Amino acid sequence: MSAEVTLRELNGLDELARAERFQVEVWGEGERPDNSDIMLSLQHEGALLAGAFAGDRMLAFLFGFPTATAGLQHSHRLAVSPEARGLGLGARMKWFQRDCCLARGITRVRWTYDPLRAINAGLNIGVLGATASEYFVDYYGAMPGINAGLPSDRIMAHWQLDAPEVVARAEGRVPTPPTDLKPVAIPRDIDALMAADPQAALAARLRLRGALQPAFAAGQAIVGFDRATASYLLGPR
């Protein structure tokens, strides 16, 4: 992609309407996008609405909003256009979010994601340094688009923006994880597995659920992700 990519907050109803359409473009027909009018109101109340642009083309979108807990933002949406995959825009958008949050006195961000998606785990846990110790079974119920066909299990990622491990990552230094962490493997590509063998994909969902729920209940947390083996790394909270 030859055009320079710029990250910035969205400005005005037209750009928010573009973000509304962008959600469907990324996640597929049947997706229930966040409405531009609601996003505008939330932006006026402190929500972060941001995009990555090449010229006037939107390539990524991020939406986070304040919570009832002081200093905590909930990160609701992160979408990257298929044409921009591989450019590292997901990570760039999250680091942009960190900068915006710290400038506003926000030191923690949390969000749910599908723990079977290795690409998301690699970003959220492996790159950003978030942790997770909460599991939600079939969180959204039946879902359309790219999420169709499996129970919508989710885990909650917690990102402590000023933690030493996160600060190191923001500065380009990746901490070395302890060697005594327990690995829990996931499929490298759940979408490909779902297309080829839906029953195997369902078995992977139930297997991961069966591993993480008791581990979290016993005081363990996801504290790392090994991209080479597509494995979560579990250790003490």
Side-chain angles (χ1 to χ4, degrees):
M1 185 170 295
S2 57
E4 180 180 355
V5 177
T6 302
L7 276 59
R8 59 175 174 80
E9 294 191 51
L10 302 184
N11 183 24
L13 194 57
D14 287 346
E15 286 194 346
L16 293 172
R18 176 71 188 92
E20 184 177 345
R21 297 190 300 271
F22 184 78
Q23 295 169 60
V24 178
E25 293 171 9
V26 172
W27 288 307
E29 293 297 329
E31 174 66 24
R32 298 183 291 271
D34 294 305
N35 179 275
S36 56
D37 292 345
I38 295 297
M39 290 192 288
L40 180 64
S41 297
L42 289 172
Q43 188 179 45
H44 287 169
E45 295 298 332
L48 174 62
L49 278 300
F53 294 87
D56 61 355
R57 283 185 301 145
M58 181 177 285
L59 299 178
F61 164 68
L62 185 143
F63 176 17
F65 52 80
T67 71
T69 302
L72 172 65
Q73 183 185 86
H74 183 86
S75 190
H76 181 54
R77 298 276 197 180
L78 174 61
V80 177
S81 170
E83 70 174 290
R85 302 275 163 81
L87 299 180
L89 281 183
R92 288 183 61 187
M93 292 294 288
K94 295 301 287 186
W95 292 123
F96 179 84
Q97 179 182 26
R98 177 178 182 268
D99 291 342
C100 291
C101 284
L102 290 175
R104 300 176 182 184
I106 297 168
T107 57
R108 286 195 297 145
V109 179
R110 69 185 177 195
W111 63 94
T112 58
Y113 78 95
D114 185 344
L116 275 185
R117 293 192 174 276
I119 190 170
N120 292 358
L123 171 61
N124 296 334
I125 310 298
V127 173
L128 302 177
T131 62
S133 58
E134 297 172 85
Y135 196 100
F136 303 99
V137 174
D138 203 22
Y139 189 57
Y140 294 108
M143 297 186 70
I146 65 171
N147 293 297
L150 288 176
S152 56
D153 290 19
R154 296 292 184 266
I155 59 175
M156 182 73 77
H158 291 266
W159 198 24
Q160 186 65 43
L161 304 182
D162 55 359
E165 298 83 359
V166 175
V167 173
R169 292 167 188 272
E171 296 173 349
R173 298 178 286 113
V174 179
T176 302
T179 58
D180 59 347
L181 301 178
K182 177 185 176 181
V184 177
I186 63 173
R188 293 185 181 276
D189 188 339
I190 188 59
D191 291 326
L193 182 60
M194 185 65 186
D197 190 340
Q199 287 303 310
L202 177 59
R205 168 71 81 211
L206 298 179
R207 185 166 56 249
L208 183 61
R209 182 191 295 175
L212 292 184
Q213 280 190 307
F216 292 167
Q220 298 286 294
I222 292 171
V223 297
F225 185 77
D226 185 345
R227 288 186 172 189
T229 61
S231 297
Y232 288 110
L233 303 176
L234 298 180
R237 291 180 192 169

